[in-house]
Amino acid sequence: MNEQSTVHSVTYDLLRTLKLTTVFGNPGSTEQPFLQDFPDDFTYVLALQEASVIAMADAFAQVTGRPALVNVHSSAGMGNAVGNLVAAWHGNTPLIVTSGQQHRELVIGEPYLGNRDATMLPRPWVKWSYEPARAEDVPEAFMRAYAQAVQPPAGPVYLSIPMDDWKRPLSGFTRVRTVSDRVAPDARRLRAFADRISASRRPALVFGPEVDRAGGWDAAVALAQKLHAAVYGPPLADRTSFPEDHPLFAGPLGMSVKTVGDRLAGHDLVVVIGAEVFRYYPYVPGDYLPAGTELLQITGDPGVAATARVGDSLLGDPGLAIELLVETVAEGSARSAPEPMQRPRALPQVPSSPLTPPEVYAALSRVRPPDAVIVNESTSTMAQQVEWLPTVRSGSFFATASGGIGWGTPAAVGVALGDRERGVQRPVVGLIGDGSFQYSVQAVWTAAQHGLPIVYVVMRNQEYSILKSFAVLEETPGVPGLDLPGLDIATVARGFGCLAVDVKTTEDLEREFKAALTAGTTTVIVVPTQPQKAML
């Protein structure tokens, strides 16, 4: 046995083999034995708070198409991370999240910084949670974690590793394996689905986030065009899987049971591919489906299939399923043309002061480069963003999959780092509400440190506008804590090393946005806006 061979060196060799050479983290004392003598061929991405660490890694993994490795502090640090771990779980992002555990000699006495019941803390938001029984098992635990993370449905996993394990002697680890990350749908059931789709008089298609994650964008367009079917955006989607400027795009479904049911009226068959049926919120009672309407669902996630309130489900990779459907469904050119999405795009004749969100989005639509990627966490203006800044390319829209805020600002960092990793140059635009920005504002420090060309446009309406919309809907007047006065966002952003500017007019916004595209670093543009009632 080589005297220099330890659990530490053997594990790093395995991580190289698995191409896990970027570590997203915020180090603690129990993590330092893992990070000691950090290799030159690895990259450490430091974020200043663990929730930001997870969101950066989440978006990085989505963009690169590979699992991401995360290292956060035991117990308290992992607790900080859980909020955005929920988003990774719902977004089926393969993350390997690790944290240190106290020295094995001390664990039985509940020492300071000990991770009590370590494997319980991240549940239920991980697919697998494990603390190796022996130091010698650490490399194999990473191998299993990798396999668990990438197999469908993909998702985060967690390892707790005692800090003294890393220096234990270990001769090597040779049982490196590969696993499949796609599962084909059952051919007979798919054929039955295809027959029902072909027989439909007026089908509707709903393409969810799983489609874009599976690389099914082009196949989705081909299927819609062959069927001559209307395409709706699913509720609260974290990825966009169909071009929102396409003539067959009929707009978002809405969010509530009633809204979704009303939107689907007139369709005899709804085909939901790669999405939940449905992500409902808030509760507004209505019919899950209109009378006489049937529903088919295709998803790669058994849990998503099991929790559907209506319809018949088929398990399988959505990308593969769509490709097979394109080959088997009958041509639908005889169907009447579906009504395209209505885009009224009404703007005031005289510019508002402060600007309205549609005015902001209209200005951005004039200067947004065609290859720009959008990360959206302006929750009260999502409908206006689809109207004015439609997603037209695969892999160019990202939002939180969980509903919790504080994901978007660090996720934009992960997108930009993922693009840099794969040699792609495109602008990254973060559309962030002023309330959302505060949850993870420290993430812009990481963006500035890495010189990432991100343009954050922060709409400053001085309130939690989405919550005020919910208060009206839920008839809950007098809720405290919904106003946000006194935030100087530009000054804070400059303090973290970013370029930052306040603008008041669309002319100023367009000028500063174009300047930010060539600044070579991170820019935060703060725009005072009028509160926007959310379309619920």
Side-chain angles (χ1 to χ4, degrees):
M1 181 181 68
N2 186 337
E3 290 184 0
Q4 301 302 313
S5 184
T6 61
V7 170
H8 184 276
S9 62
V10 169
T11 301
Y12 270 86
D13 284 343
L14 174 62
L15 294 176
R16 289 187 181 92
T17 301
L18 299 176
K19 295 183 171 55
L20 296 170
T21 57
T22 298
V23 181
F24 292 84
N26 183 275
S29 56
T30 53
E31 288 65 50
Q32 289 181 349
F34 166 61
L35 298 170
Q36 70 175 7
D37 299 323
F38 196 69
D40 292 338
D41 59 330
F42 279 62
T43 300
Y44 188 84
V45 178
L46 173 63
L48 301 183
Q49 208 267 4
E50 291 87 353
S52 289
V53 170
I54 295 286
M56 290 178 194
D58 183 345
F60 180 86
Q62 292 191 56
V63 168
T64 61
R66 303 196 313 268
L69 180 60
V70 174
N71 182 242
V72 296
H73 195 25
S74 66
S75 224
M78 190 62 218
N80 287 339
V82 168
N84 277 333
L85 194 64
V86 177
W89 166 267
H90 283 293
N92 296 130
T93 304
L95 300 181
I96 300 173
V97 182
T98 66
S99 72
Q101 173 62 293
Q102 254 288 7
H103 197 288
R104 287 182 183 269
E105 180 70 22
L106 296 177
V107 167
I108 195 170
E110 302 290 354
Y112 188 66
L113 298 181
N115 200 353
R116 180 179 295 184
D117 293 331
T119 61
M120 297 299 295
L121 179 58
R123 293 177 180 173
W125 308 115
V126 291
K127 294 178 64 180
W128 183 56
S129 187
Y130 186 68
E131 185 173 280
R134 307 178 305 157
E136 294 82 358
D137 295 332
V138 169
E140 189 158 6
F142 271 92
M143 185 68 252
R144 179 175 171 182
Y146 180 92
Q148 295 263 180
V150 301
Q151 290 183 98
V157 297
Y158 173 69
L159 294 176
S160 169
I161 305 171
M163 59 190 299
D164 54 313
D165 284 5
W166 296 105
K167 295 182 179 181
R168 292 286 296 272
L170 188 65
S171 58
F173 179 76
T174 59
R175 297 187 301 280
V176 179
R177 303 180 296 117
T178 60
V179 295
S180 173
D181 59 2
R182 306 185 82 180
V183 177
D186 175 75
R188 182 178 299 179
R189 189 165 177 84
L190 185 72
R191 177 72 255 183
F193 273 34
D195 290 344
R196 292 174 66 179
I197 295 169
S198 297
S200 170
R201 298 183 309 278
R202 189 167 180 253
L205 295 172
V206 181
F207 294 118
E210 292 178 44
V211 173
D212 197 44
R213 289 198 291 267
W217 177 283
D218 291 338
V221 173
L223 180 62
Q225 292 178 165
K226 185 173 184 179
L227 291 173
H228 210 53
V231 178
Y232 295 90
L236 301 165
D238 50 286
R239 296 277 289 265
T240 299
S241 296
F242 190 84
E244 293 173 333
D245 63 346
H246 195 284
L248 293 174
F249 184 64
L253 274 181
M255 297 164 57
S256 70
V257 172
K258 176 175 173 49
T259 304
V260 173
D262 290 349
R263 288 283 280 144
L264 293 174
H267 294 287
D268 61 329
L269 182 67
V270 181
V271 185
V272 181
I273 306 179
E276 299 168 39
V277 180
F278 287 103
R279 279 181 179 170
Y280 295 118
Y281 194 83
Y283 176 64
V284 180
D287 295 326
Y288 286 99
L289 286 176
T293 302
E294 297 181 345
L295 185 142
L296 302 176
Q297 179 195 37
I298 301 174
T299 174
D301 190 333
V304 167
T307 55
R309 306 297 294 273
V310 291
D312 302 323
S313 295
L314 169 63
L315 288 174
D317 181 273
L320 295 175
I322 296 173
E323 292 171 2
L324 292 169
L325 285 175
V326 171
E327 297 174 0
T328 52
V329 297
E331 179 73 40
S333 56
R335 296 188 178 101
S336 59
E339 295 182 5
M341 175 183 174
Q342 299 298 313
R343 298 180 189 271
R345 294 190 171 180
L347 294 175
Q349 293 183 345
V350 178
S352 305
S353 181
L355 296 172
T356 64
E359 287 176 294
V360 172
Y361 284 141
L364 294 177
S365 72
R366 294 189 287 268
V367 292
R368 175 184 65 163
D371 61 339
V373 56
I374 286 178
V375 180
N376 189 327
E377 197 169 281
S378 175
T379 54
S380 64
T381 67
M382 292 184 293
Q384 290 71 36
Q385 186 250 303
V386 174
E387 181 181 346
W388 289 96
L389 292 173
T391 301
V392 298
R393 297 188 182 193
S394 176
S396 61
F397 175 84
F398 299 88
T400 179
S402 72
I405 60 177
W407 184 88
T409 302
V413 178
V415 170
L417 288 170
D419 280 348
R420 181 175 289 179
E421 170 78 11
R422 63 197 183 108
V424 172
Q425 292 185 346
R426 57 178 180 166
V428 178
V429 181
L431 303 175
I432 314 293
D434 53 355
S436 293
F437 197 67
Q438 307 313 309
Y439 274 69
S440 49
V441 64
Q442 75 289 128
V444 301
W445 178 86
T446 304
Q449 289 295 307
H450 288 264
L452 299 176
I454 302 171
V455 185
Y456 290 104
V457 178
V458 181
M459 283 183 271
R460 178 81 177 99
N461 60 21
Q462 302 191 67
E463 66 178 31
Y464 289 123
S465 191
I466 185 70
L467 296 182
K468 288 192 174 182
S469 296
F470 280 127
V472 173
L473 178 70
E474 296 164 355
E475 299 179 354
T476 54
V479 175
L482 302 186
D483 293 308
L484 298 171
L487 292 175
D488 189 346
I489 294 172
T491 296
V492 171
R494 282 190 287 269
F496 281 117
C498 299
L499 300 177
V501 62
D502 290 290
V503 301
K504 293 183 178 180
T505 68
T506 56
E507 292 79 10
D508 290 344
L509 173 59
E510 291 180 35
R511 183 186 66 252
E512 295 296 342
F513 187 89
K514 287 189 285 188
L517 293 175
T518 59
T521 189
T522 304
T523 302
V524 177
I525 302 174
V526 184
V527 190
T529 58
Q530 297 180 23
Q532 175 73 50
K533 182 180 179 181
M535 298 177 65
L536 304 175

